[in-house]
Amino acid sequence: MAGMNSAPAIVILGPGSLATAQRIRQCYPQAQIHGLQGRVEQADLYYSVFGDTLRGLYQQGTPIIALCAAGIVIRTLAPLLDEKGSEPPVLVVAEDGSAVVPLLGGLGGVNLMARDIAQALGVAAAITTSGELRFGTCLLNPPEGYALADIEQGKRFVSDLLAGESVRVEGSAPWLDQAQLPASEQALRTIHVGSALRPASRDELLIHARCVVVALPGAATGLAQQVRDSLRAAGIAEAALACLLASEDDMAEPALHEAAQALNVPLRFAAPAATAQQLLAAALPGARIESAAGLALAVAEAPVAVQQLGRPRGRLAVIGLGPGAAELMVPAVKAELARAQDILGYETYVRMAGPFRDDQVQHCTDNREEMQRARHAFELAAQGRSVVVVSSGDPGVFAMAAAVLEALHASSDPAWQRVDLEILPGVSASLATAAQAGAPLGHDFCVMSLSDNLKPWSIIEKRLDLAAQADLVLAFYNPISKSRPHQLGVALDIVRRHRDGQTPVVLGRDIGRPGQTLKVVSLAELQPQMVDMRTMVLVGSSTTCRFDRADGREWVYTPRWY
Ligand code: SAH
């Protein structure tokens, strides 16, 4: 389930819970505090209906930490509990932080979360899971590097142990050394840890150790099936597959990534070798190397430390934060920020994109060093890191996406070309401003930056003249700055040659940010002093109109017809 590993939502109902919510967030820096609209200030997000919000989060698979009475949460989620599908962890925490109660999501790690939160709050978690209490570990939730073969069979197995059966461990299960299991050499029940392909018997808990790596050749079709065939031929369970390994030269090959996705394992890369066997031997010294069904595989003694094996394909995402408000950031961007190892950008935007975890590196630079920032981003991503370059609004609108592509286009470094580059869109300032004003961009419009930093002013004048003549609605980015205070006046003179003084103009300042303002004036009233570099200017066309709304403000729109 996609949302299962996503950052938790901390849901609060009143200001009394804010301090506790913030302490919990120390454990999960990417978590967002959802506050009840009108009752809570300083939350990250605001909701108006508690029930709908909680059910929505649950259905998306978002882990929920609710600071309220357990009964409220139980009643709210009850209608959803019959539904099939995996459930995210759900916990309730007393408003004052004195109690931490895991409610749902035992297999999603709710007890681990409860213990972490309880530790941060200096209290004991209210763990109620019998097996976990009795044995000191959740047998159905083995640590990283191991996978349970069958959850239903596992549940039966744990009830047998709770009912008094004794158990013996076959294979190596170091994490059980600390557990209080009813161990006996004569036990009929066994916990079997291994990588062999075998049917689980009624009396055993079968746990696969992820100690196998398969080497992939370059591009080919049906690779995932080939891997499955090769594992079967070698007598190895699919769940024992830790990762796939390929040569760095093939890093950008889509077929390899499709195979890894189909098999749901990581794909790692190593320096090219003459044969697949040598590729594996160099990456996994000491492992047994075999060939089966045409592929080479390595079987290690213990689970493979995938993070230390070769390196991953580096990723560079150029993201748009939207205008500022967290609700206007697209979910794909949030997910990208959570996985980022390095975050690059103008300091204001990097701060807006946070908070970040201690393991995430922030590289703040001046707003003007764009090409240098783009090259730095590629250097980091080419080492295998997951890098994010931050823009406000949309990254493709007068922002970093074009700079990043320009840097790539100019480079002949194959390592840069192999980086997994993606541009993730955001809500641009013109769209965010237009939405607040109504629909001024409801018909054909033209987007321009009035900055002459990167283009001659004469081009700006020419485009303004033609766009105004064409009766397009005009959206001005970078309308004015301290270093060019007089240009906006010149620009407006050009527009006024073609537009009536009554033409509505929308001025949005700091839209989606604290202290935002939205003004509607006529073109005749518009003065350059009303505008600064944090303002978006939308000049209407001949058909743009305005009318009063019930709250004393005004709507502005451009009809879809002419
Ligand atoms: N990539 C950004 C634009 C960068 S250019 C985007 O898509 O929104 C910077 C200009 O955008 C500013 O000078 C201002 O005109 C406008 N702008 C950016 N954020 C804004 C906001 N929150 N409110 C109003 N205007 C904004």
Side-chain angles (χ1 to χ4, degrees):
M1 184 159 169
M4 211 63 173
N5 297 316
S6 60
I10 304 171
V11 185
I12 63 176
L13 286 157
S17 314
L18 193 62
T20 304
Q22 283 163 343
R23 286 170 72 195
I24 295 172
R25 191 164 51 192
Q26 300 291 316
C27 308
Y28 310 100
Q30 290 290 330
Q32 286 186 310
I33 300 177
H34 298 239
L36 179 58
Q37 183 99 52
R39 293 269 298 279
V40 183
E41 280 163 29
Q42 296 168 31
D44 302 312
L45 292 172
Y46 297 92
Y47 63 86
S48 46
V49 184
F50 177 79
D52 294 347
T53 306
L54 216 63
R55 285 186 289 269
L57 290 166
Y58 182 89
Q59 281 167 322
Q60 284 162 24
T62 306
I64 298 171
I65 302 165
L67 275 69
C68 60
I72 300 179
V73 176
I74 292 170
R75 240 181 277 283
T76 304
L77 295 180
L80 305 180
L81 299 184
D82 276 347
E83 286 173 18
K84 281 232 165 39
S86 45
E87 64 189 13
V90 178
L91 302 95
V92 285
V93 176
E95 201 178 83
D96 62 359
S98 61
V100 179
V101 187
L103 287 181
L104 296 167
L107 297 173
V110 74
N111 287 337
L112 281 178
M113 282 180 73
R115 286 188 214 277
D116 289 344
I117 294 170
Q119 195 182 6
L121 298 175
V123 296
I127 305 292
T128 56
T129 318
S130 321
E132 189 155 340
L133 287 172
R134 185 87 70 83
F135 310 132
T137 178
C138 179
L139 285 176
L140 302 183
N141 206 0
E144 209 178 315
Y146 298 89
L148 190 65
D150 180 344
I151 181 74
E152 287 311 319
Q153 190 218 14
K155 286 180 184 169
R156 265 199 320 270
F157 185 87
V158 172
S159 358
D160 288 352
L161 294 201
L162 286 171
E165 289 287 347
S166 56
V167 67
R168 120 187 106 78
V169 178
E170 284 177 6
S172 163
W175 76 97
L176 291 179
D177 291 349
Q178 307 302 319
Q180 297 97 48
L181 292 175
S184 152
E185 279 313 308
Q186 285 76 50
L188 298 175
R189 298 288 187 280
T190 51
I191 296 175
H192 181 94
V193 185
S195 58
L197 179 64
R198 74 210 291 276
S201 79
R202 166 71 181 79
D203 295 335
E204 75 177 356
L205 182 70
L206 183 56
I207 295 175
H208 294 299
R210 297 187 179 280
C211 47
V212 179
V213 178
V214 175
L216 293 183
T221 52
L223 275 178
Q225 192 53 47
Q226 244 179 291
V227 172
R228 288 195 182 103
D229 293 345
S230 131
L231 290 170
R232 195 171 315 113
I236 293 168
E238 193 181 320
L241 181 63
C243 69
L244 301 172
L245 186 69
S247 157
E248 277 167 12
D249 291 345
D250 300 321
M251 209 175 239
E253 233 6 284
L256 304 188
H257 296 276
E258 281 159 24
Q261 206 169 12
L263 295 162
N264 198 20
V265 291
L267 173 58
R268 309 285 296 190
F269 297 92
T275 65
Q277 281 79 1
Q278 284 166 13
L279 190 80
L280 286 170
L284 284 149
R288 191 176 81 233
I289 312 287
E290 298 177 21
S291 287
L295 293 183
L297 31 89
V299 183
E301 284 292 325
V304 174
V306 175
Q307 298 306 318
Q308 267 111 63
L309 186 76
R311 60 190 179 88
R313 183 185 187 193
R315 177 167 169 89
L316 172 51
V318 191
I319 62 154
L321 298 174
E327 305 93 284
L328 293 184
M329 189 191 288
V330 309
V333 166
K334 282 185 195 157
E336 196 66 44
L337 286 169
R339 74 191 267 193
Q341 294 173 298
D342 297 277
I343 300 97
L344 285 76
Y346 177 46
E347 191 178 346
T348 313
Y349 301 147
V350 171
R351 221 177 304 124
M352 219 157 91
F356 293 104
R357 300 182 301 270
D358 290 347
D359 62 299
Q360 297 181 296
V361 188
Q362 300 173 43
H363 310 261
C364 297
T365 47
D366 191 83
N367 209 5
R368 300 189 174 218
E369 299 161 13
E370 285 163 348
M371 288 314 293
Q372 205 181 314
R373 186 187 302 150
R375 286 189 292 264
H376 186 197
F378 273 110
E379 276 155 20
L380 290 166
Q383 292 163 23
R385 298 187 58 91
S386 188
V387 183
V388 160
V389 172
V390 181
S391 288
S392 80
D394 182 90
V397 178
F398 311 121
M400 283 305 296
V404 164
L405 288 171
E406 196 181 326
L408 180 62
H409 197 184
S411 158
S412 54
D413 187 339
W416 286 26
Q417 312 293 332
R418 293 195 291 246
V419 164
D420 176 20
L421 172 63
E422 195 172 355
I423 321 291
L424 298 177
V427 176
S428 193
S430 56
L431 306 182
T433 303
Q436 294 212 0
L441 307 179
H443 204 331
D444 302 345
F445 65 97
C446 162
V447 168
M448 283 185 67
S449 166
L450 296 192
S451 165
D452 63 348
N453 279 342
L454 299 166
K455 64 189 166 191
W457 178 253
S458 60
I459 297 256
I460 298 176
E461 287 195 348
K462 181 175 176 193
R463 288 187 180 163
L464 273 171
D465 190 43
L466 293 171
Q469 191 184 334
D471 201 25
L472 295 164
V473 174
L474 307 170
F476 296 151
Y477 287 77
N478 302 311
I480 199 164
S481 83
K482 289 199 188 76
S483 59
R484 40 184 188 85
H486 306 298
Q487 290 172 348
L488 180 60
V490 177
L492 293 176
D493 287 343
I494 296 171
V495 175
R496 286 186 178 115
R497 281 191 229 141
H498 306 280
R499 280 296 137 95
D500 192 277
Q502 292 312 304
T503 305
V505 176
V506 176
L507 301 176
R509 183 171 192 272
D510 280 342
I511 294 299
R513 298 180 192 173
Q516 66 164 33
T517 59
L518 188 82
K519 267 198 283 239
V520 183
V521 298
S522 71
L523 183 57
E525 288 162 351
L526 179 60
Q527 302 285 323
Q529 310 82 269
M530 299 173 176
V531 175
D532 67 5
M533 63 184 289
R534 284 148 66 182
T535 310
M536 184 73 227
V537 181
L538 304 176
V539 180
S541 71
S542 65
T543 61
T544 304
C545 45
R546 56 201 273 196
F547 63 96
D548 291 336
R549 43 191 269 184
D551 62 5
R553 292 154 61 196
E554 271 182 280
W555 287 119
V556 177
Y557 76 103
T558 306
R560 292 158 303 142
W561 39 263
Y562 228 74

